[in-house]
Every structure is written in C-alpha cells, then in structure tokens.
C-alpha cells in the first residue's frame, strides 16, 4: 500500500499522471505499463541557451552558479505560467520542457486552446 506521504514526496520528482496512476493502483509493477489519454502537448526550448551556457562556462564556477540561478528562475516562471493554463510539466530536458494539457476526449479543443494561450504568454 502506498502512503499519502510517499505520494506527496514522489510528486516532486515524477509527472503527476504517474503519481495519479500509482494512487489509483498502488501495487508493484512487474512489467512496463502504458496508458493512452487525450491531451495537447507543448514543447518549449530556450533559444540561444547553448551559446549562453558556453559563455558562462568560461567564467568557471561563478559562471556555472550564474547559469544555474538563471535556469532556475526561468523554470520557476515557466512552471507558474504553465500551471495557470492547466498544464503539467512532465519532462525537463536540459533547457527544454515537455508539457501536457489533459482533458476529456470531447474537450480536446480546449486543451489545444490552453496550450496556445500558454505559449503566447511564455513567448
């Protein structure tokens, strides 16, 4: 049985759909599991991140600290915007985010609208 405390801790490290699936069926998996659902998907990436990271990397530890601070501030702002539009970040890939906007199948247009509105604010 999975405790609420464990699920809360897990939610900080894995996508919410995974946490919800564990909550609904808290047994150990012995093989891979798949699940299909309707959603709009948004991929974001920081333009010019690689040259910036290379430039700050030349500054040594100070540059690395500054880069870490910048990326943390960026992700914090992006996540707040994404959540305001009902999105859930499901993956971080360097300077990129993968975001899902979940809905019931009959409301897929709404998920696309949320994603579109969200990306306009992010831009």
């Amino acid at each position: 049985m999975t405790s609420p405390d464990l699920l809360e801790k897990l939610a900080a490290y894995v996508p919410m759909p995974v946490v919800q699936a564990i909550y609904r069926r808290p047994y150990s998996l012995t093989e891979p599991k798949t699940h299909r659902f309707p959603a709009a998907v948004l991929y974001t990436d920081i333009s010019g991140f690689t040259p910036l990271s290379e430039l700050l990397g030349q500054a040594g530890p100070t540059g690395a600290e500054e880069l870490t601070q910048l990326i943390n501030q960026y992700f914090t702002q992006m996540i707040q915007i994404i959540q305001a539009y009902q999105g859930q970040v499901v993956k971080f890939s360097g300077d990129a985010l993968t975001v899902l906007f979940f809905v019931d199948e009959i409301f897929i247009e709404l998920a696309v609208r949320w994603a579109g509105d969200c990306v306009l604010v992010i831009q």
Side-chain angles (χ1 to χ4, degrees):
M1 194 71 165
T2 306
S3 74
D5 289 339
L6 177 60
L7 288 173
E8 187 176 326
K9 289 176 185 173
L10 187 61
Y13 300 100
V14 299
M16 189 53 65
V18 175
V19 174
Q20 291 168 340
I22 292 169
Y23 179 77
R24 285 192 296 275
R25 297 187 151 219
Y27 56 86
S28 296
L29 294 176
T30 58
E31 58 187 49
K33 177 96 172 129
T34 63
H35 179 71
R36 291 178 179 239
F37 49 84
V41 181
L42 171 65
Y43 300 101
T44 69
D45 183 82
I46 301 173
S47 177
F49 181 78
T50 300
L52 175 63
S53 64
E54 290 171 354
L55 181 65
L56 290 173
Q58 292 173 2
T62 304
E65 289 175 18
E66 186 174 352
L67 181 62
T68 299
Q69 183 180 5
L70 289 171
I71 197 81
N72 286 341
Q73 289 174 352
Y74 168 79
F75 280 146
T76 298
Q77 290 176 354
M78 293 306 104
I79 292 167
Q80 289 171 348
I81 294 168
I82 288 163
Q83 289 176 339
Y85 286 91
Q86 310 306 314
Q88 293 183 19
V89 176
V90 295
K91 185 173 183 180
F92 292 89
S93 304
D95 65 320
L97 298 174
T98 302
V99 181
L100 295 180
F101 296 84
F102 297 97
V103 290
D104 290 329
E105 195 165 327
I106 60 172
F107 297 114
I108 193 65
E109 293 86 2
L110 181 59
V112 172
R113 175 65 183 259
W114 287 338
D117 290 346
C118 180
V119 78
L120 289 174
V121 172
I122 286 173
Q123 190 176 23

